[in-house]
Amino acid sequence: MNPINNSLLNDLINKPQRIAKLNFDSITKILDRFIDILKEENLFLEFSVNEQTEEVYVIGDIHGNLDTLLKLIEIINMNNPSLVIFLGDIVDRGPKQLECLLIVLALKILFPSKYFILRGNHETLEMNQYYGFFQDFISRFNDQSKFNKILSVYNVLSICALINKTILCLHGGIPQDIDILKKLKGKKCKDFSTIFQSISQSIYQIMWNDPKSELKGFSDSFRGPGIKFFGIEVFGKFMEANSLKYLIRAHECFPEGYRWFFNKKLLSIFSSANYRGNFSPNPASYVIIKNNEVIPKLLKI
Ligand SMILES: [Mn+2]
């Protein structure tokens, strides 16, 4: 099987309507290329950027919203940041899930040192079976076993990213284990399954936990067993113990587009506009990191 060529990938980004016509073999080639690149990357990504001259863009949940994703890519291409970090939840719920996933994977294949994708709580079989991506995929390719290739993609995604040692990016929130970053440090994406066995609870909490303003410690979340809300005191302790200045996370949709927590040390973003439909509108948001500061942005459509 010939590897996928870059001009085809560019074509898919520029003309996403072609994605619906791809056969499973072509999709497999894209997924395999992506997995090959990701294998050698770290579960805990650490970046140093020049704080004055370089910008980092951070993107929240996409959830199949192709219109928002294409608009974001347009802005990225215009401003040319050094790094773009997706915080996960690319699929489920929205109308163009496969399109969004393949476009994000294609960007990574084309520009591997610029684009990075973290794992969200929807990058799992259980969530995809419940919220639509699994059914969407099976209705296209008529074979449940073909979805295993998608799961292999999920299992090589990174868990969190650190910019200039001070700004941590992840999908949900801090876990109860204050030493989790030390445990993830230096670990390769290809070893995820082994690592997951020993720290599954913490990885699960990184993808699922939520901040709560009026809270001090951890409390049980409505989202499910083992999942927590975290308050200002445990957040402060985690940040101090790991010498962090800011946390950027996604996972929750707010009508105002983004929301600050905990004395503006935690920023929550969401990058799918009008996620609950036009009767409950929300603008999409994203983040620009410059001068080691976190600048929330709203997407104007
Ligand atoms: Mn989520």
Side-chain angles (χ1 to χ4, degrees):
M1 203 156 66
N2 297 324
I4 202 91
N5 68 52
N6 288 358
S7 69
L8 178 85
L9 293 174
N10 266 312
D11 218 35
L12 295 180
I13 296 168
N14 295 322
K15 302 183 188 78
Q17 64 275 18
R18 295 196 177 172
I19 290 174
K21 296 181 186 121
L22 287 177
N23 61 28
F24 184 71
D25 276 353
S26 307
I27 290 176
T28 301
K29 285 181 191 175
I30 298 172
L31 303 182
D32 280 340
R33 253 304 274 285
F34 177 82
I35 291 168
D36 246 21
I37 296 171
L38 264 282
K39 272 182 187 164
E40 291 312 314
E41 293 198 347
N42 287 337
L43 278 174
F44 174 28
L45 297 162
E46 294 179 84
F47 302 106
S48 292
V49 295
N50 183 307
E51 50 181 280
Q52 271 110 45
T53 58
E54 293 184 278
E55 289 183 345
V56 179
Y57 278 44
V58 187
I59 315 287
D61 297 34
I62 297 291
H63 282 307
N65 189 331
L66 183 63
D67 293 341
T68 304
L69 177 61
L70 294 177
K71 190 85 193 166
L72 285 165
I73 293 170
E74 212 180 294
I75 294 172
I76 289 164
N77 289 339
M78 231 151 45
N79 297 295
N80 197 27
S82 306
L83 290 174
V84 180
I85 301 170
F86 283 88
L87 298 182
D89 282 14
I90 310 294
V91 295
D92 280 339
R93 292 197 165 111
K96 300 280 182 191
Q97 302 169 28
L98 185 64
E99 284 81 355
C100 288
L101 181 65
L102 290 183
I103 285 174
V104 172
L105 301 187
L107 288 168
K108 174 68 183 176
I109 296 168
L110 289 168
F111 311 101
S113 56
K114 176 171 180 161
Y115 285 91
F116 293 86
I117 306 150
L118 306 184
R119 188 169 186 170
N121 62 310
H122 280 267
E123 274 76 49
T124 56
L125 174 64
E126 295 70 27
M127 292 301 275
N128 291 169
Q129 283 176 326
Y130 200 82
Y131 291 100
F133 185 47
F134 181 78
Q135 285 75 12
D136 176 80
F137 194 88
I138 301 312
S139 71
R140 291 170 199 254
F141 304 114
N142 301 313
D143 181 354
Q144 298 210 359
S145 69
K146 287 180 174 162
F147 200 74
N148 288 336
K149 202 42 124 179
I150 298 283
L151 300 181
S152 306
V153 166
Y154 296 164
N155 282 331
V156 290
L157 293 176
S158 300
I159 302 299
C160 51
L162 183 64
I163 317 294
N164 290 350
K165 298 187 190 301
T166 54
I167 303 170
L168 184 66
C169 306
L170 44 72
H171 182 74
I174 59 159
Q176 288 171 290
D177 182 359
I178 206 162
D179 296 320
I180 186 63
L181 298 181
K182 293 180 191 91
K183 292 174 187 169
L184 286 171
K185 200 175 167 77
K187 301 284 193 300
K188 294 274 179 233
C189 291
K190 65 179 171 202
D191 299 322
F192 173 77
S193 306
T194 327
I195 292 154
F196 186 68
Q197 286 171 11
S198 59
I199 50 170
S200 58
Q201 175 79 352
S202 300
I203 291 177
Y204 195 58
Q205 288 189 346
I206 287 173
M207 298 192 296
W208 280 93
N209 285 359
D210 296 298
K212 200 172 187 177
S213 305
E214 61 274 27
L215 196 67
K216 289 190 170 117
F218 286 100
S219 74
D220 288 345
S221 168
F222 66 90
R223 289 190 190 264
I227 302 168
K228 302 289 174 185
F229 287 114
F230 57 98
I232 190 160
E233 280 185 14
V234 286
F235 173 74
K237 278 181 194 159
F238 186 92
M239 298 298 276
E240 203 188 325
N242 293 286
S243 309
L244 300 172
K245 191 173 165 194
Y246 291 109
L247 180 76
I248 303 171
R249 53 89 68 171
H251 195 41
E252 276 180 285
C253 178
F254 297 109
E256 66 270 37
Y258 63 83
R259 191 173 287 180
W260 285 104
F261 287 81
F262 309 146
N263 304 320
K264 285 198 159 188
K265 295 296 169 197
L266 185 156
L267 181 64
S268 191
I269 56 165
F270 199 84
S271 306
S272 172
N274 300 332
Y275 172 65
R276 296 191 176 90
N278 291 332
F279 294 106
S280 173
N282 69 280
S285 61
Y286 62 101
V287 172
I288 299 177
I289 300 170
K290 200 174 180 190
N291 296 317
N292 288 335
E293 291 298 327
V294 164
I295 307 154
K297 293 277 179 186
L298 291 179
L299 193 68
K300 293 179 184 63
I301 295 192

